[in-house]
Amino acid sequence: MALMLVKFDMKKRVKLAQTVWFMYWFAVMAGVLVFSMGLFFKIELRKRSELMDNNESHFLPNLLIFMGLVTCGINAFGGKVCYDSLDPTKFIKWKPMVKTFLMFCVVFNALLFVTALLCFLMRIPLQFTLAEGLRNGMKFYKDTDTPGRCYMKRTLDLMQMEFRCCGNDNYRDWFEIQWVSNRYLDFSAKEVKDRIGSNVDGQYLMDGVPFSCCNPSSPRPCIQFQMTNNTAHYSYDHYTEELNVWKRGCREALLSYYGGMMNTIAVLVVLVTILESAVTIGLQYVNTSLSTLANPEDPESESEGWMLEKTVKETFTDIMAKMKSMGKGTKVEEGGEAAVATVS
């Protein structure tokens, strides 16, 4: 027995074809939106690619761009089929390939759903990518004269000001690295010698942060150097004083930004998947209703349409049987080839 059997007359078939045609072109616009979101996501990642530990983070936006383009192509084709279904003489040329097209649509819908899941799950690897990338970027902050790293200072400063963050996990990360270039240090000064001499790696470490960590909303002038030295500043106690630098780490800030973007895209892709499933089912009804005309020579005769020709259980059993027969056929062919090779 067919699943979700519906009876159609001429008027219902025309209305169904027109509705599905409209939905297909709406789905084309949804594909453009997925493509645009993927492109926007890629551009946003490229802006801070120097702070990413690897290039694998671009896999998701590339996938979204590809899926968006394929969505546009599939739905444009489906819309053309629905439009021609209004004229049985034109629909004849599409009829042999509709079943294959519908199977392709089912597979594509599954891939769309997987893409949505990847958008939700990519937050986890992105967290580690940003942590390692920011750590390396902070180490290269001072290398303004080194080819390939000369823009790292600018990138980090702009990022900290834009996202109102400081350091990797927090502002104290800057205390653990030398972020001032040696060309701006007076090595004859006692303070510089003492700081370098007290460090195992010979780095000039200090309890200070770059200017981009300063919070412009603070009423007090920014205290970015000697932040843990209470005697260096008037009426200041770094244990109780409300610091006028950003307290949130940049990893958390970027993860929140990109994570929110990926969640939004994931919801969009889920909605597109639902729309794609709806138009696939609609085209199935259009196809079956035209294939079961009581009188093929009379377009106004009644017909039946269904989502599946058999029940879900019977359909699944048939698919498994076909897969098993294909497997057996492959084994027989391999056995025959082996026998021929033995004889020769």
Side-chain angles (χ1 to χ4, degrees), residues 197-268:
S198 63
N199 184 263
V200 177
D201 298 325
Q203 292 185 332
Y204 181 76
L205 304 182
M206 58 180 175
D207 53 345
V209 297
F211 77 97
S212 53
C213 284
C214 293
N215 180 359
S217 300
S218 174
R220 180 169 187 162
C222 186
I223 298 176
Q224 64 180 109
F225 296 107
Q226 297 185 355
M227 295 175 64
T228 59
N229 185 359
N230 292 336
T231 61
H233 312 283
Y234 176 73
S235 185
Y236 176 77
D237 185 351
H238 76 278
Y239 289 110
T240 59
E241 183 80 10
E242 184 69 24
L243 295 175
N244 51 10
V245 297
W246 304 118
K247 295 181 180 179
R248 186 167 68 156
C250 290
R251 179 179 60 173
E252 179 188 346
L254 287 172
L255 191 62
S256 176
Y257 175 70
Y258 286 122
M261 189 184 299
M262 286 189 292
N263 288 342
T264 302
I265 294 174
V267 172
L268 170 66

Side-chain angles (χ1 to χ4, degrees), residues 86-203:
L86 296 171
D87 185 350
T89 57
K90 291 183 179 180
F91 184 71
I92 293 176
K93 65 180 179 180
W94 302 115
K95 193 174 180 180
M97 63 181 75
V98 171
K99 190 173 183 180
T100 303
F101 176 70
L102 286 168
M103 292 176 63
F104 177 79
C105 287
V106 171
V107 175
F108 179 72
N109 291 344
L111 291 176
L112 267 178
F113 184 71
V114 171
T115 303
L117 287 180
L118 286 176
C119 288
F120 283 119
L121 296 175
M122 277 295 288
R123 183 186 181 95
I124 299 172
L126 183 63
Q127 181 176 357
F128 296 103
T129 297
L130 285 172
E132 189 63 28
L134 284 168
R135 193 178 297 115
N136 292 332
M138 289 171 66
K139 290 179 182 177
F140 303 145
Y141 181 88
K142 67 181 187 302
D143 298 338
T144 52
D145 297 327
T146 305
R149 301 177 185 172
C150 54
Y151 292 107
M152 186 59 71
K153 178 183 180 300
R154 180 178 181 274
T155 300
L156 279 168
D157 283 334
L158 289 175
M159 178 199 66
Q160 291 189 145
M161 289 187 288
E162 179 181 355
F163 289 94
R164 300 185 175 187
C165 59
C166 186
N168 192 343
D169 294 317
N170 54 61
Y171 68 93
R172 288 184 173 272
D173 293 331
W174 289 107
F175 298 177
E176 301 171 3
I177 62 170
Q178 178 180 336
W179 53 272
V180 178
S181 175
N182 287 338
R183 67 179 294 186
Y184 302 115
L185 296 176
D186 182 6
F187 286 94
S188 62
K190 183 178 183 303
E191 181 189 356
V192 175
K193 290 181 179 179
D194 291 343
R195 285 186 180 275
I196 293 177
S198 63
N199 184 263
V200 177
D201 298 325
Q203 292 185 332

Side-chain angles (χ1 to χ4, degrees), residues 289-306:
S289 64
L290 288 173
S291 301
T292 57
L293 288 170
N295 182 7
E297 296 181 359
D298 181 14
E300 296 186 3
S301 60
E302 293 187 349
S303 62
E304 295 179 342
W306 54 77

